Amino acid sequence: MTDASAAEGGDYLDIGAIQQIIPHRYPFLLVDRILELVPGERAVGLKNVSADEPFFQGHFPGHPVMPGVLIVEAMAQTSAILVVQTLGEEAEGKAVFFMTIDGARFRKPVIPGDCLHIHVEKVRQRGQVWKFQCEAKVGDKVCAEATISAMLTDQDVG
């Protein structure tokens, strides 16, 4: 697999491809597109934040803000896509489960109309456990950051 990015001629993975890689579905699929992916190293996901998102009804009426836990979930989903794309056939029949979150910081609210870019970079891999440094940005502003880990398991959730 080679390095690819939107700047080099198009989206790397669209929503259809993402749905073949991870089991999440609406309303919990929080990555619309993968813009960039370097297997074993990093990925950039995109979440187009729509005013129609179901969580905005209660978070918060009159002042909609994307919940921080969902931003972290978008980071985890982008990380899972990187794991599966890195391992290829080795990941077939397996699932990536979120394990830990460290150092989460929320710096700027994410609101309807924002294009949230989720940057994940592999810090290390030991056996089936992967660790990532993640940032979520709108434009050049960091909205959230965290270090997360995930585990590849034999449990198929598809």
Side-chain angles (χ1 to χ4, degrees), residues 19 21 29 40 44 50 56 77 83 87 108 112-113 116 124 127 139 146:
Q19 289 179 326
I21 296 168
L29 180 56
V44 179
S50 165
F56 284 136
Q77 290 178 17
V83 170
L87 296 176
K108 178 184 178 304
L116 187 66
R124 74 173 164 263

Side-chain angles (χ1 to χ4, degrees), residues 75-89:
M75 292 173 179
Q77 290 178 17
T78 303
S79 298
I81 292 165
L82 177 56
V83 170
V84 172
Q85 289 296 100
T86 297
L87 296 176
E89 289 182 11

